[in-house]
Amino acid sequence: MEWETVIGLEIHAQLATKSKIFSAAATAYGAEPNTQACAVDLGMPGVLPVLNKEAVRMAAKFGLATSSTVAERSVFARKNYFYPDLPKGYQISQYELPIVQHGILDIELEDGTTKRIGVTRAHLEEDAGKSLHEDFHGQTGVDLNRAGTPLLEIVSEPDMRSAKEAVAYMKKIHSLVRYLEICDGNMQEGSFRCDANVSVRPKGQKEFGTRAEIKNINSFRYVEKAINYEVERQIEIIENGGKIVQETRLYDANKDETRSMRAKEEANDYRYFPDPDLLPVELDAEFIEQVRATLPELPDAKKLRFVEQYGLSAYDAAVLTASRELADYYESVVTSVGSEPKLCANWVMGDVSGFLNKENKEIGESPVSAELLAGMIKRIVDNTISGKIAKDVFEAMWNGEGDADAVIDKKGLKQITDTGAIETAINDIMAKNPKQVEGYRAGQDKLLGFFVGQVMKAMGGKANPAQLNELLKKMLAG
Amino acid sequence: MALDSSTVEKIAHLARLGIDAKDVPEYARNLSDIFAFVEQLNAVDCSGVVPMAHPMEASQRLREDVVTEQNLRDKFQAHAPKVEVGLYLVPKVIE
């Protein structure tokens, strides 16, 4: 039987506020345990939560960027459950009236087409603390610094049909929240994490199958692997006559498998009710328009503009606009060079990205600034150096040996465009390789590459490649 | 709506209330009576009425995003039964 996979994602994005969603304690990552957990975060008796305006503003910003409805009135509710990293015994969240609803997001698929994914809702809630299960004499250690950090939980429609689509959607949301500067997107630190609802059904069937929820996946790669594993598991169970149990599962990256988390009674019964400590949040049109005015150019719009303004392919434009920082870097290179947008794109996507990946750095940490790169590309454009030599210049700049002009000067890399000098070198190589000359003249065209290589080598790679090619052909022809 | 014993036990578990097995039938009876009493409200037609989220006719005041809390860990942890390296210690929980 042919099976269809159905996936919906719940993404938790920690909002990049300075203080917590309901208290004035700091949200900075990595502080000493419990030094940023105040009386409100600890759920001390008599405390009252007061909502952070910036968290509301960020949620609204996300709503506007996904063409969602930003609710004029939203309500906080208590989600009741017991766990030591949740001191109050309930999490303040939103249930029936979330702040953001009915949005859309277009993702690009591998075949170049786009697919529209529905954003069901995005609601504000507080994060829980952290439980550390290492051995504290058989006890669990609790750090409540994270308790009360604002989260935006972004819930998608079950619109995705493969693990790859789910990853594309997750990456798109990741890129968007960073463009909007509402979340730092740091997955190692848990600022951006995801639960995946996965089910399968016979192809063509309308009703959804029973789903399993895979919790807390914190990398794009794991999302793909976890979903693929889960799909296989479910198909196998059904094909062997079994039934899928609706349950929460955990992905174990070491074993590359999902396993049941709370096997027993966990028919999630959170008994939501409106939080009496918080009044309904009312946003007027003026507030929403103020937020709208702060929206940056969004990834899709930027991508389109890159295609139109710089004549880039859709693929190049998508790569360059994947993050706002990379797009900004590229644009300042192009602006500074003043021409050759495609050449600039190749350098940013090629050597710059390659070196960054190798050293696991972000574009903001690149030792070769946009200005330095532009300076070097200008030297390619004005024929001072060839594209090949430029690679050496780039590496030298990366290693802090100064700007392009300094490197070219110091290393004597200036391209040779003097026809006489190139001809001398060609004559010399031809004289040393009479057999190859004969072969070429007998029709072995491939030998041209041999001559290009030999002359280039003799001239220390500095001959202008176009000129060299042209002269070689002429002289070899005799 | 009548509550049976197993529902009472489930609610007690969700609320982490330790109740005596012999008291369960009585709780079930009492809770069922309460439900029957409240059930009368269903006779009221409230279509078109916005559910009340809060008894006060007011909306939430918003706070500026400023950190003003100091680190009072020592004071808070003085009340905790057990702490170690700044962590609150609780009975082992593992999922």
Side-chain angles (χ1 to χ4, degrees):
Chain A
M1 182 180 297
E2 213 181 328
W3 296 93
E4 181 174 55
T5 306
V6 176
I7 304 161
L9 293 185
E10 290 167 21
I11 293 173
H12 288 88
Q14 275 185 355
L15 296 175
T17 55
K18 296 184 191 75
S19 66
K20 294 194 175 167
I21 184 167
F22 298 119
S23 83
T27 55
Y29 180 84
E32 281 290 303
N34 292 306
T35 55
Q36 293 176 170
C38 71
V40 175
D41 309 325
L42 294 176
M44 289 291 181
V47 298
L48 273 178
V50 188
L51 183 58
N52 185 336
K53 188 177 187 173
E54 191 61 17
V56 174
R57 218 182 54 76
M58 288 177 169
K61 210 171 171 184
F62 177 82
L64 294 174
T66 47
S67 315
S68 306
T69 307
V70 178
E72 286 169 20
R73 183 169 178 274
S74 62
V75 171
F76 282 98
R78 292 186 179 180
K79 178 181 180 176
N80 299 282
Y81 67 93
F82 289 101
Y83 206 73
D85 57 24
L86 186 77
K88 296 191 298 299
Y90 59 86
Q91 177 193 30
I92 305 178
S93 181
Q94 294 186 309
Y95 188 53
E96 284 174 322
L97 296 169
I99 188 164
V100 168
Q101 263 178 303
H102 313 308
I104 46 166
L105 192 77
D106 289 335
I107 58 168
E108 285 80 41
L109 306 182
E110 274 183 334
D111 62 5
T113 58
T114 56
K115 177 170 179 174
R116 179 153 291 179
I117 305 293
V119 176
T120 315
R121 56 186 277 156
H123 63 252
L124 282 166
E125 61 183 28
E126 56 181 344
D127 209 343
K130 267 184 194 160
S131 302
L132 302 153
H133 303 294
E134 300 92 90
D135 199 24
F136 293 103
H137 332 289
Q139 296 188 292
T140 293
V142 180
D143 175 9
L144 295 168
N145 280 347
R146 198 178 68 177
T149 298
L151 288 178
L152 189 65
E153 177 172 336
I154 304 158
V155 182
S156 83
E157 290 290 309
D159 284 346
M160 287 150 281
R161 294 289 173 270
S162 70
K164 283 213 156 51
E165 285 184 20
V167 172
Y169 169 81
M170 191 179 171
K171 282 188 172 164
K172 193 70 183 271
I173 294 275
H174 186 254
S175 159
L176 185 62
V177 295
R178 294 185 63 199
Y179 260 79
L180 297 172
E181 295 176 322
I182 62 173
C183 171
D184 66 18
N186 190 323
M187 295 168 84
Q188 268 101 46
E189 293 177 1
S191 310
F192 190 87
R193 43 195 209 263
C194 159
D195 303 340
N197 287 302
V198 181
S199 66
V200 297
R201 63 180 171 191
K203 208 164 178 128
Q205 179 182 305
K206 266 201 155 168
E207 299 78 37
F208 293 128
T210 305
R211 66 169 198 266
E213 182 181 11
I214 314 170
K215 277 274 181 201
N216 259 328
I217 324 174
N218 66 352
S219 90
F220 297 123
R221 205 161 57 92
Y222 291 168
V223 166
E224 185 167 352
K225 294 181 97 169
I227 291 174
N228 283 334
Y229 174 87
E230 183 58 23
V231 168
E232 289 301 311
R233 186 187 74 88
Q234 292 187 10
I235 291 174
E236 202 178 305
I237 289 177
I238 300 172
E239 288 187 341
N240 287 322
K243 271 198 157 174
I244 305 301
V245 187
Q246 183 165 347
E247 61 178 354
T248 306
R249 300 180 69 85
L250 193 73
Y251 178 67
D252 183 335
N254 292 323
K255 293 184 182 155
D256 187 25
E257 64 175 28
T258 64
R259 61 168 180 268
S260 190
M261 239 170 102
R262 299 165 184 158
K264 291 172 290 172
E265 10 69 77
E266 217 57 38
N268 290 346
D269 193 343
Y270 293 126
R271 295 148 293 140
Y272 284 94
F273 63 87
D275 191 329
D277 285 346
L278 288 153
L279 290 156
V281 181
E282 287 177 2
L283 304 178
D284 56 22
E286 193 192 336
F287 180 89
I288 292 173
E289 284 319 304
Q290 277 172 3
V291 174
R292 195 189 301 279
T294 66
L295 282 180
E297 184 183 27
L298 297 175
D300 286 348
K302 203 185 273 288
K303 197 179 102 183
L304 273 181
R305 181 169 65 78
F306 274 25
V307 170
E308 282 166 18
Q309 187 175 344
Y310 301 123
L312 300 179
S313 69
Y315 175 81
D316 288 359
V319 173
L320 291 170
T321 55
S323 83
R324 193 168 160 180
E325 293 79 11
L326 189 67
D328 288 349
Y329 181 94
Y330 169 72
E331 283 215 279
S332 56
V333 173
V334 179
T335 309
S336 172
V337 173
S339 64
E340 301 286 344
K342 174 63 185 157
L343 180 65
C344 296
N346 289 346
W347 275 95
V348 174
M349 298 191 313
D351 290 61
V352 175
S353 298
F355 275 70
L356 289 173
N357 282 343
K358 206 161 56 189
E359 297 185 15
N360 211 1
K361 283 190 163 119
E362 298 286 328
I363 185 72
E365 304 164 292
S366 172
V368 176
S369 65
E371 196 190 347
L372 279 175
L373 181 65
M376 186 197 81
I377 294 176
K378 281 183 195 163
R379 293 297 158 261
I380 303 175
V381 175
D382 71 12
N383 268 328
T384 306
I385 52 172
S386 66
K388 192 146 179 272
I389 291 285
K391 288 189 178 291
D392 300 332
V393 177
F394 181 83
E395 191 166 354
M397 293 199 302
W398 186 275
N399 295 327
E401 295 177 41
D403 66 12
D405 287 335
V407 173
I408 294 166
D409 199 42
K410 194 170 75 188
K411 302 200 168 189
L413 296 173
K414 204 166 170 324
Q415 181 162 254
I416 298 168
T417 52
D418 173 8
T419 311
I422 300 174
E423 280 173 356
T424 310
I426 292 175
N427 274 324
D428 189 38
I429 294 297
M430 282 171 67
K432 282 183 187 155
N433 300 284
K435 269 195 185 157
Q436 281 81 354
V437 175
E438 218 172 285
Y440 180 83
R441 287 179 177 159
Q444 293 180 43
D445 291 349
K446 271 196 254 162
L447 281 169
L448 183 70
F450 164 79
F451 285 105
V452 172
Q454 290 297 310
V455 178
M456 263 301 183
K457 199 173 151 200
M459 300 186 74
K462 287 183 282 183
N464 176 295
Q467 255 180 312
L468 170 60
N469 259 306
E470 197 184 317
L471 287 170
L472 248 179
K473 279 187 192 159
K474 204 160 71 190
M475 292 168 70
L476 280 169
Chain B
M1 179 183 170
L3 284 175
D4 58 17
S5 296
S6 72
T7 312
V8 171
E9 278 160 5
K10 189 186 166 207
I11 295 169
H13 171 71
L14 285 169
R16 299 297 188 273
L17 293 173
I19 55 173
D20 237 316
K22 67 172 171 34
D23 295 335
V24 171
E26 165 119 25
Y27 286 132
R29 209 162 37 243
N30 285 343
L31 287 168
S32 293
D33 287 348
I34 293 169
F35 274 119
F37 173 71
V38 176
E39 197 87 342
Q40 296 177 62
L41 290 173
N42 281 341
V44 182
D45 176 15
C46 53
S47 52
V49 178
V50 180
M52 183 177 72
H54 201 278
M56 274 164 70
E57 286 287 331
S59 66
Q60 181 64 37
R61 289 264 309 257
L62 301 177
R63 175 178 59 80
E64 293 302 321
D65 182 26
V66 182
V67 176
T68 54
E69 290 287 348
Q70 311 284 314
N71 170 21
L72 300 174
R73 183 174 77 178
D74 292 346
K75 279 192 174 168
F76 291 133
Q77 295 200 331
H79 303 282
K82 260 188 181 174
V83 293
E84 193 173 308
V85 290
L87 298 166
Y88 294 93
L89 293 193
V90 298
K92 187 128 189 144
V93 275
I94 272 285
E95 358 204 38

